[in-house]
Amino acid sequence: MTDLTPPAGALAGIQVLDLSRVLAGPWCTQILADLGADVVKVERPGAGDDTRHWGPPFLQDADGNDTTQASYFTACNRNKRSVTIDMATEDGQQLIRQMALQADVLVENFKVGGLARYGLDHATLRALNPRLVYCSVTGFGQDGPYAERAGYDLMIQAMTGMMSITGRADGEPGGGPLRVGVALTDLFTGVYASSAILAALHARHRTGEGQHIDMALLDVGMAILANQAAGFLATGVAPGRQGNSHPSLAPYQDFATQDGSMLLAIGNDGQFARFCAAAGHPEWAQDARFASNTLRVKHRAALIPAMEAVTRTRTTAEWIALLEDKAVPCGPINTIAQAFGDAQVQARGLRVALPRDAGDGVAQITGVASPLRLAAHPPVLRHAPPALGQHTDEVLEALGVDAAQRAELRARGVV
């Protein structure tokens, strides 16, 4: 008989205590949760994570009416259990310390030193549980002149130079620095943090000891400048904004079409020659100005207008159909709605709906599937993003707190 039981996640058995909120920390812990870790998210009684209130847009009930729960929260809190504990109280602190004793990983994003007054800092909890991997996420890191400052994604995008290379050049219509359309630094910090945690867990197999991980949005923001930072460090010349074109490749940008626009991402001479032949201008590939990528970048001002005069003669769909079998990267510039309607997005199952039974009128929450496709241990979708405090009773019961004690703690506002 075939065993239909889904395989356990790769991190099954790993206990994560999530003291983080907003985006960077929760993004990290959602990755761990998708991989099978049991993530318990501690939230403020009555309020919860800030993003529960960052709306519109809001979740809708079964009748299609807006609730008071913002959809933002659901982007980064799937597969977690929510408990509400007031860590400003001694009893609340003791409950969290009990949870930390059983945890493999703790993730927090308080200001530097902010948890010390509650006895929940790294030094205190590692003394109680030497195997604990303790990950701190801050704006500027645990040391340096800015360590005490609060850090936000938009601020980091501005400080690191990310905004200076995003947007159209000064003097062009719409020119000026722009932020990336999502909180990119927060998201990358979450991804880097999850990688660091996995590395620390692997090291623990050898040493038996946990360790402190110091994740800073500033560090990550500088790191993800990638080739733009490398170019500056090699030449001393700071790159500027150039819209959708690429500083080192041409043609590699958006082009106007008969009915809108498309994206061409030509990365080598063979792709360029095939495009030229398909477009009816094979002579461009033989032109001394355009014979190599470096020359095309140098003569971009002559090449791009000539190409755009041709791209305007067909629709986006016609260009995609023409180039698809010629190994020339070409695609539409979709809205998010169009992206979710794309055949490949649908084939990959990237839209997932999870049922929720929290008694709050929200019966189902739809989100984006995990991109982590492990063949033997695929992501396990166990829980929809939780309602505030949805799992308080079951988590505290597992700690040995009986019903009478829970009622007493609730009466005093501890949970």
Side-chain angles (χ1 to χ4, degrees):
M1 180 180 291
T2 303
D3 183 4
L4 299 179
T5 303
L11 295 181
I14 295 295
Q15 304 291 317
V16 178
L17 181 55
D18 186 0
L19 303 185
S20 69
R21 64 266 192 225
V22 186
L23 187 54
W27 195 258
C28 164
T29 52
Q30 179 171 267
I31 292 172
L32 302 177
D34 283 351
L35 290 173
D38 178 18
V39 177
V40 175
K41 182 180 181 73
V42 177
E43 302 187 69
R44 293 171 295 167
D49 191 309
D50 295 347
T51 60
R52 288 187 180 275
H53 314 287
W54 284 9
F58 294 98
L59 297 179
Q60 295 181 336
D61 61 23
D63 297 323
N65 300 312
D66 280 353
T67 67
T68 59
Q69 302 180 59
S71 62
Y72 195 121
F73 175 85
T74 69
C76 48
N77 288 288
R78 171 180 62 218
N79 273 339
K80 303 177 187 179
R81 297 189 290 162
S82 170
V83 302
T84 50
I85 300 176
D86 184 356
M87 67 173 60
T89 66
E90 290 187 11
D91 286 337
Q93 294 158 18
Q94 182 56 33
L95 287 173
I96 295 173
R97 279 192 286 272
Q98 284 181 254
M99 296 165 72
L101 281 171
Q102 300 177 8
D104 298 285
V105 177
L106 183 148
V107 179
E108 57 91 7
N109 62 347
F110 285 73
K111 290 182 180 180
V112 171
L115 287 176
R117 59 178 171 158
Y118 302 129
L120 301 175
D121 55 299
H122 169 249
T124 300
L125 294 185
R126 274 290 306 282
L128 298 174
N129 179 4
R131 291 175 55 80
L132 183 65
V133 173
Y134 190 111
C135 180
S136 298
V137 179
T138 59
F140 298 98
Q142 299 293 307
D143 53 24
Y146 301 164
E148 301 295 329
R149 294 185 185 178
Y152 298 91
D153 177 272
L154 181 60
M155 181 191 304
I156 300 300
Q157 287 198 38
M159 290 183 65
T160 58
M162 179 65 73
M163 289 177 65
S164 78
I165 57 171
T166 305
R168 297 196 177 277
D170 292 336
E172 292 185 11
L178 288 175
R179 69 174 180 88
V180 179
V182 295
L184 190 73
T185 316
D186 275 337
L187 297 173
F188 265 100
T189 300
V191 173
Y192 273 110
S194 67
S195 296
I197 288 168
L198 295 178
L201 288 173
H202 181 70
R204 193 180 72 174
H205 291 321
R206 299 193 308 272
T207 66
E209 295 284 324
Q211 59 185 287
H212 189 210
I213 298 170
D214 173 11
M215 295 298 309
L217 269 66
L218 179 71
D219 300 354
V220 172
M222 296 299 293
I224 63 175
L225 293 173
N227 58 295
Q228 296 279 36
F232 166 73
L233 294 172
T235 66
V237 178
R241 294 180 301 281
Q242 54 187 85
N244 292 325
S245 64
H246 195 286
S248 304
L249 295 171
Y252 199 96
Q253 63 182 78
D254 59 316
F255 285 88
T257 64
Q258 195 175 82
D259 63 345
S261 56
M262 67 174 179
L263 203 292
L264 278 176
I266 293 176
N268 59 53
D269 297 341
Q271 291 174 351
F272 181 65
R274 292 193 296 275
F275 168 81
C276 294
H281 288 275
E283 72 278 7
W284 288 345
Q286 306 303 318
D287 191 310
R289 296 171 298 171
F290 312 140
S292 70
N293 176 70
T294 299
L295 290 168
R296 291 192 294 276
V297 171
K298 181 178 180 181
H299 297 287
R300 191 195 307 264
L303 174 62
I304 301 306
M307 288 181 61
E308 193 156 86
V310 175
T311 62
R312 289 180 182 274
T313 64
R314 289 184 171 92
T315 67
T316 297
E318 288 170 342
W319 277 113
I320 293 172
L322 176 66
L323 299 174
E324 189 167 20
D325 64 350
K326 298 174 179 62
V328 176
C330 173
I333 302 175
N334 287 331
T335 64
I336 292 178
Q338 290 168 330
F340 275 109
D342 183 270
Q344 184 66 13
V345 171
Q346 293 180 353
R348 294 287 286 177
L350 295 178
R351 178 176 183 150
V352 293
L354 293 172
R356 187 169 88 174
D357 183 15
D360 60 356
V362 179
Q364 177 177 281
I365 296 178
T366 304
V368 183
S370 170
L372 303 172
R373 304 294 178 104
L374 285 72
H377 299 89
V380 181
L381 301 182
R382 305 182 304 282
H383 310 297
L388 179 61
Q390 181 178 346
H391 305 96
T392 300
D393 281 314
E394 71 176 53
V395 171
L396 294 187
E397 185 176 13
L399 282 179
V401 182
D402 64 29
Q405 291 172 310
R406 297 196 301 273
E408 192 267 336
L409 290 170
R410 274 200 174 89
R412 293 194 289 112
V414 175
V415 301

